Each structure stands twice: as structure tokens, then as C-alpha cells.
Amino acid sequence: MDGFKQTISETNEVGIPQGSVISPLLANIALHGMEDAVLSQFARNRVKVIRYADDFIITSKLLEDILKAKKIVEDFLKSINLELSEAKTRIGHSLKPIQTNNNQIGFDFLGFHFKNIKTSIHKGVKTTRGVMQTFRQISSPSKESLMNHKRALKKILRDHKTTPLGALITKLSSTISG
């Protein structure tokens, strides 16, 4: 046993493994109705809920609406024995820094960072109704996603130091292109 590492594996007694194939389906089943619970408390188009499996964002023009929506979500989750992760929950602004978000502009969602920048009305974006606005939306990979991608590339390069160049390029290109 000298040359072998001993590992202790902890298994969950209840539930399914995180990241399993069925996990997104179960998240959708558990959170079904959350959007309706939030949207029913506000006038039309006052808040928007964007959800992907168990990740979601709630957008509004008013901070009071965001805080009210957060309370509604907390109550909904409490009714199904779940809770918001305080470590992952952020309240931010896409155009200006605010203290509740460590003075950062924008937000991260699904591996991308979204923020708005001020521009002249001639270079801004149009609303769905064709009205010009004085900002542009910028989306880019989040810092965390970039770090994870670089870490994966470094691992490939470290693990394949003696691999022929053609095979290394194939391995790297499959990782780079996703």
C-alpha cells in the first residue's frame, strides 16, 4: 500500500449527485411556479425573470422592486424547503457601481459578464419598440470563466509535454472551441 494514495469518499445519503444528467430537470420541476409567483406581484413589464435551470436573474428599473422580488423568491423557496445562497446572491446595477455589489458594474450570469456603457443616443441600442437609448450592452466571458479556461489549457499543456505536436493541437483545439 506504500505506492497508493488512500482516498476517502463521502457519499450523500439523500438526493442525487450535483451535476448529474437529471439535475437540471429536477431544478426546473422544483422551481416551476417561481416566475409566476414573482411576476404576479408586479405590474406588467415592471420586473423580468430570466431563469436557466436553477440559475436566475431578476431585472427591474427600481431597487425597491428587486428587494420585493427577492423577498417573494425567498418565501417561495421556503415553501419547498429551499433557500437562496447568500454567497451567490447579488444585487447590482448594469450601468453604475453600487455598494451592495462591491462597487462593480454589471453582473455575471451563466459564465458571462453583462454590463451597459453610456453612449450618445446615435450609438445606443433600440428598445423592442424602436426607441433609441443612451447605452450599449456589453457581454463578455466572466473573469471566473476565463480563469477556468486558462487553467484547463495549462493542465493540457502540462499533461502532454511529450505528446506529438499534431495530437497536442487537436487536444487544445477541442478544448478551445468547446
Side-chain angles (χ1 to χ4, degrees), residues 29-67:
I29 291 169
L31 296 179
H32 180 72
M34 181 188 74
E35 294 170 57
D36 293 335
V38 172
L39 296 176
S40 67
Q41 300 297 315
F42 295 95
R44 185 172 183 232
N45 292 330
R46 186 122 180 220
V47 298
K48 303 265 190 224
V49 179
I50 301 167
R51 185 167 68 86
Y52 182 82
D54 63 341
D55 295 326
F56 62 92
I57 59 171
I58 299 175
T59 63
S60 177
K61 293 180 180 181
L62 301 173
L63 180 60
E64 297 83 37
D65 289 346
I66 298 292
L67 295 174

Side-chain angles (χ1 to χ4, degrees), residues 2 4 6 12 17 30 35 47 71 76 81-84 93 98 100 104-105 110 121 125 141 155 157:
D2 288 338
F4 296 101
Q6 281 190 328
N12 290 338
E35 294 170 57
V47 298
K71 177 70 174 134
F76 176 84
N81 294 324
L82 294 173
E83 59 185 31
L84 281 178
H93 197 285
I98 60 172
T100 60
Q104 293 180 348
I105 299 173
L110 300 177
I121 197 159
V125 296
K155 183 178 181 345
L157 290 172

Side-chain angles (χ1 to χ4, degrees), residues 26-159:
L26 293 177
N28 281 325
I29 291 169
L31 296 179
H32 180 72
M34 181 188 74
E35 294 170 57
D36 293 335
V38 172
L39 296 176
S40 67
Q41 300 297 315
F42 295 95
R44 185 172 183 232
N45 292 330
R46 186 122 180 220
V47 298
K48 303 265 190 224
V49 179
I50 301 167
R51 185 167 68 86
Y52 182 82
D54 63 341
D55 295 326
F56 62 92
I57 59 171
I58 299 175
T59 63
S60 177
K61 293 180 180 181
L62 301 173
L63 180 60
E64 297 83 37
D65 289 346
I66 298 292
L67 295 174
K68 181 179 175 185
K70 181 182 177 190
K71 177 70 174 134
I72 293 167
V73 168
E74 287 172 341
D75 292 343
F76 176 84
L77 292 176
K78 194 178 292 182
S79 72
I80 58 172
N81 294 324
L82 294 173
E83 59 185 31
L84 281 178
S85 166
E86 289 300 321
K88 294 181 180 180
T89 304
R90 302 271 187 275
I91 296 177
H93 197 285
S94 64
L95 196 57
K96 59 186 177 186
I98 60 172
Q99 281 186 324
T100 60
N101 197 24
N102 297 328
N103 288 328
Q104 293 180 348
I105 299 173
F107 59 92
D108 291 344
F109 185 60
L110 300 177
F112 287 90
H113 183 76
F114 298 91
K115 68 178 180 179
N116 293 330
I117 58 170
K118 283 190 172 283
T119 62
S120 72
I121 197 159
H122 304 291
K123 294 183 178 181
V125 296
K126 289 183 179 179
T127 66
T128 56
R129 297 178 187 209
V131 178
M132 291 298 289
Q133 296 181 345
T134 58
F135 65 87
R136 280 189 309 163
Q137 193 269 322
I138 305 292
S139 59
S140 58
S142 67
K143 289 180 182 177
E144 184 179 345
S145 291
L146 286 174
M147 284 178 26
N148 290 339
H149 191 66
K150 286 180 184 178
R151 205 174 292 127
L153 294 176
K154 284 180 184 178
K155 183 178 181 345
I156 290 170
L157 290 172
R158 194 174 29 247
D159 293 348

